[in-house]
Amino acid sequence: MSGDELNLRVDALTTQSGRFKSLIGEFFRLEFKRARPKWGPYEVCIEIAHARDTSSQDVDRVAKAVLDALTGVVFHDDSQVERLLVTKVEGDGPRIAVTARPMKPVRILEDA
């Protein structure tokens, strides 16, 4: 955790949200006893790494599993996620890297 930003790396790859939820939930119970989910809009970036020789996972299924795991830990409901970026890359082995942070207000400049 860095301020309101969560950076998490899991050296495994699964689409089973129950496994992610219990793993992430247990991590937060042990390491961040005071962490509570927050309200407001969030952005989440997920990088899915897989080895060249392994079958690759569907990005939408992995993203859903990750969002389900973060619900109740980082934010109250995954409907709070207003920006989601999921990238699949080739790596040395299975890994999921997640960054979740409150969205900053975007200021749109009007034409002069």
Side-chain angles (χ1 to χ4, degrees), residues 2 21 27 55 83 85 89:
S2 174
K21 192 165 183 129
F27 172 76
S55 63
R83 182 179 300 136
L85 173 65
V89 298

Side-chain angles (χ1 to χ4, degrees), residues 1 28-29 31-38 72-74:
M1 295 286 288
F28 273 90
R29 276 190 294 282
E31 300 296 326
F32 296 97
K33 294 178 172 92
R34 296 172 140 173
R36 298 288 180 259
K38 296 184 176 151
V73 175
V74 175

Side-chain angles (χ1 to χ4, degrees), residues 15-82:
T15 57
Q16 297 175 343
S17 62
R19 289 187 66 197
F20 269 124
K21 192 165 183 129
S22 65
L23 177 67
I24 291 171
E26 185 65 21
F27 172 76
F28 273 90
R29 276 190 294 282
L30 294 174
E31 300 296 326
F32 296 97
K33 294 178 172 92
R34 296 172 140 173
R36 298 288 180 259
K38 296 184 176 151
W39 292 105
Y42 271 80
E43 63 181 332
V44 178
C45 299
I46 303 168
E47 182 179 88
I48 304 163
H50 63 93
R52 178 183 289 222
D53 303 351
T54 61
S55 63
S56 136
Q57 301 285 336
D58 292 340
V59 295
D60 60 326
R61 296 182 83 197
V62 174
K64 180 65 176 150
V66 169
L67 293 179
D68 285 348
L70 295 178
T71 299
V73 175
V74 175
F75 38 77
H76 290 277
D77 189 82
D78 61 5
S79 66
Q80 291 174 245
V81 177
E82 293 187 4

